[in-house]
Amino acid sequence: MNKRIYFSSIAFLATVLRIALAVLALSWVSSQAAAAGQTIDPENCIGCHEETPVLGVHSGTLFGATNRVATCADCHGWVTDLGQHETDGADMVRFDSAAAVLEPLTLTPLSLGVSTIATQNQTCLQCHSGKTLGALHWTHDAHGFELACSTCHQLHPKNDPVRGLSNASTIKLCVDCHSAQTRNGEGVRP
Amino acid sequence: MSVTRRDFLIASTCVATAGAFPVVHSMEVDGKRYTMVHDEKACIGCTACMDACREVNAVPEGVSRLNIIRSEPNGTYPDVTYQFFRQSCQHCDVPPCVAVCPSGASFRDPDTGIVDVDPDKCVGCQYCIAACPYQVRYIDPVTQAADKCDFCRKTNLAQGKLPACVESCPTNALIFGDLNDPDSEVSQVIATSKTYRTKVELGTDPHLYRIAAPTGGNRS
Ligand code: SF4
Ligand code: SF4
Ligand code: SF4
């Protein structure tokens, strides 16, 4: 009986120690971030951006590079200058399908505050491999250059609209975009 | 009436097929010569054509008149391309499926060049399925007769429309028309583009032309 209490107190102490170490490690990560000029704790983002919580599949997911739950900054980047950020949203990776439309036209999508397709997709490719994506659905392969992932996927709402689409709706998605291209004379046979 | 005739044909051809197959096709073209081009350069592999065909022609699940076959990926992400191949009846001018049909169910319509099946005459012997070098025929699970693409002869064409697959294609990768009319789009495309057909060496004279995608495939 006494032996059991003895062992459970050891286990309790070990847990306390582990938590303490984790807190230390976390504050070390934050101080490293601050040392690199990254002054905003990503958990603070929601203070201003409360209307856009992440409710989809990425909510609570582990971010491979840090092995902790993904934060806003892991995908959107760190804010180095809060004043500038509050004025024009500087330093952010923005996920917006507009890039797919703007980039071929202007080659300078950043002028409208939208990150390039490459910048957006590089963020996703930190965790998702092109090979896995291609195996999930071949259209990932086919649009790797031309479309931002965000053209089809949305991670903030609870449900990503393209997940679980019926076959007919998937075809409609292809048809809607590509017939518009054909009408605009962008296809091989307009 | 038709069922009775079909039953009769099934009974009589069981005996008749023991001998040589009657050659019943005609190669003469009196009127139109309907032809299709699949532009593999323009095709994006969306399969809208497959869905439209199934819907318009009430093709039951489990069988299909049209398949778009996607190649293996070429290259590695994000630089990947695919090729798409249309598998459907080629409306051969010398159709082996018609030559082997013991009941006269498989026929070539001389006014249009379309190869079709009369389900009331089909006895379900499946000789045509074996004879077709393009492997596009099947037994319809509802009618129990052989079936395949008929260029929408009984549906859209009969209503003065283009075939369902052609109508539904978002990139205009399918071109359909009369090869006997030199001014038709299909004649123009065949005259001015580098096209190819498959298994021409068999002497079937297929009327599905293809424009090859560049080596390595398409970029959607
Ligand atoms: S492709 Fe096959 S089914 Fe079609 S006409 Fe030729 S042989 Fe007959
Ligand atoms: S022409 Fe008609 S029957 Fe033939 S594949 Fe197209 S839609 Fe189907
Ligand atoms: S609808 Fe057109 S683009 Fe889509 S798979 Fe069919 S032929 Fe290709």
Side-chain angles (χ1 to χ4, degrees), chain B residues 22-213:
Chain B
V23 178
V24 291
H25 72 276
S26 150
M27 282 168 53
E28 273 137 53
V29 177
D30 311 320
K32 295 180 190 311
R33 183 56 189 96
Y34 282 130
T35 300
M36 192 176 283
V37 173
H38 181 221
D39 184 349
E40 295 166 3
K41 278 207 312 249
C43 179
I44 55 160
C46 67
T47 71
C49 50
M50 287 171 58
D51 256 27
C53 173
R54 184 174 301 286
E55 195 182 319
V56 164
N57 298 301
V59 180
E61 289 300 325
V63 291
S64 44
R65 291 180 170 198
L66 167 61
N67 283 307
I68 295 290
I69 300 167
R70 186 173 70 243
S71 72
E72 288 296 308
N74 311 299
T76 45
Y77 185 92
D79 192 8
V80 188
T81 56
Y82 289 88
Q83 283 130 307
F84 305 103
F85 185 80
R86 177 181 165 114
Q87 186 186 44
S88 64
C89 175
Q90 322 273 309
H91 297 278
C92 307
D93 258 359
V94 188
C97 56
V98 174
V100 300
C101 179
S103 70
S106 282
F107 66 99
R108 182 182 174 283
D109 174 17
D111 295 334
T112 57
I114 294 176
V115 176
D116 203 354
V117 183
D118 179 345
D120 290 340
K121 286 189 185 169
C122 176
V123 294
C125 68
Q126 306 195 23
Y127 284 161
C128 58
I129 294 178
C132 169
Y134 301 94
Q135 298 184 312
V136 295
R137 287 181 165 247
Y138 56 85
I139 296 291
D140 184 303
V142 178
T143 63
Q144 295 300 319
D147 201 18
K148 57 162 197 76
C149 161
D150 63 353
F151 275 166
C152 290
R153 180 174 172 265
K154 302 182 279 293
T155 52
N156 273 21
L157 279 199
Q159 297 161 23
K161 296 191 278 191
L162 284 170
C165 54
V166 179
E167 267 190 333
S168 68
C169 178
T171 62
N172 299 339
L174 295 169
I175 304 125
F176 176 83
D178 180 10
L179 197 60
N180 284 349
D181 171 6
D183 295 329
S184 69
E185 190 190 0
V186 82
S187 296
Q188 293 291 321
V189 167
I190 290 172
T192 57
S193 320
K194 195 172 180 307
T195 56
Y196 75 100
R197 297 179 291 164
T198 56
K199 300 186 180 175
V200 274
E201 66 281 6
L202 299 177
T204 49
D205 197 358
H207 276 61
L208 176 58
Y209 290 71
R210 306 157 192 279
I211 298 174

Side-chain angles (χ1 to χ4, degrees), chain A residues 121 125 129-131 133-134 138-146 149 167-168 171 174-175 178-179 181-182 188-190, chain B residues 39 41-42 44-48 51 70 73 77-80 82 84 168 170-173 175 185 189 193 211 219-220:
Chain A
N121 293 2
L125 289 167
S129 84
K131 207 172 162 194
L133 292 174
W138 69 276
T139 50
H140 285 129
D141 278 346
H143 298 96
F145 280 129
E146 293 87 353
C149 306
N167 190 42
I171 293 174
C174 309
V175 167
H178 284 275
S179 37
Q181 273 189 331
T182 308
V188 174
R189 190 173 290 287
Chain B
D39 184 349
K41 278 207 312 249
I44 55 160
C46 67
T47 71
D51 256 27
R70 186 173 70 243
Y77 185 92
D79 192 8
V80 188
Y82 289 88
F84 305 103
S168 68
T171 62
N172 299 339
I175 304 125
E185 190 190 0
V189 167
S193 320
I211 298 174
R219 174 156 303 295
S220 292

